[in-house]
Amino acid sequence: MELRHLRYFVTVVEEQSITKAAEKLCIAQPPLSRQIQKLEEELGILLFERGSRPVRTTDAGQFFYQHAVQILTHTAQATSMAKRISSINMIIRIGYVSSLLYALLPQIIYLFRHNNPDIQVELIEYGTKDQIEALKLGKIDLGFGRLRISDPAIKRILLRKEKLKLAIHKNHHLTEYVHIGIYLSQIIDESIFSYPATQKPNFSTLIQSIFTELGLVPKNMIEVREIHMALGLVSSGEGVCIIPESASDIGMKNLVYIPILDMEAYSPISLAVRNMDQSPYLSKVLECVKQVFEEEGIAFQFEGYQGNTA
Ligand code: BEZ
């Protein structure tokens, strides 16, 4: 059995479809089906229930899946650790969601580079969900994201909860709330632009879930491709949009920003790493986060982190 067979099997289980798995793996469907069949023959067990749509694992298949994920994760970890140990110029690959570029990510990375001149930093943009996959495959060593996604192979450290703001045109009828703040229940009749229009879950899902948590149903949510589009439409006098506080620095003309007062209205900023990762980089990165938070007067939480940041 080769590792790629385990990867094929895990992808089929996660996508619950041979077609989608084949697309994701960039191979044709018939060879993928054949490889799965060969794997079943080699193991002498049925991994999937015959004829099930979406594809469902048997009990034995589910057991095998959990162990296959562990094997792949351990292999990725071992490879990435071994590469790191063998390289003189060390590289750390950091996944990030693009909206964090408006938050404190640039300051944190700048500080990390300054404090660790021997370590090369490679920044790679990935949605929070894709970061999980990238971590498991060893494509990145850590990932900064905004969603509450959990996965048994990944440890997530909550760094802080960023407040949300409502972006409106400076002549909008809600401007009277700019200094006092507003509750989401006050905007359900507005046209609200949400973003991005990428694979879910994403920031748009987070906003939806906050409304749901508050028992609110906005009348008109319109999904657009990305934050600049949402702000541009608001700036042209159409609707409103909810953004992380830091994105108000984007500086689009004629916009003003209202603090959202609901406790539930925040975007978690977290750091994800492979569960067993003992990398010394983690504490070095967290030290930089801590230092930047101190400079900015932000209380650090680091929920889920057991190590030390000096
Ligand atoms: C922040 O804005 O809090 C932040 C952004 C990126 C990485 C870590 C923290």
Side-chain angles (χ1 to χ4, degrees), residues 100 103-105 108 144 159-160 162 246 269 289 293 298:
L100 291 179
L104 300 175
L105 183 66
I108 290 163
F144 288 110
L159 301 175
R160 72 170 168 121
E162 187 180 11
S246 53
I269 297 181
V289 176
F293 277 17
I298 296 172

Side-chain angles (χ1 to χ4, degrees), residues 139-159:
K139 289 185 184 169
I140 55 173
D141 301 298
L142 34 102
F144 288 110
R146 278 197 181 271
L147 302 173
R148 310 169 190 143
I149 297 176
S150 54
D151 185 290
I154 302 298
K155 180 166 61 188
R156 216 178 119 258
I157 302 161
L158 175 66
L159 301 175

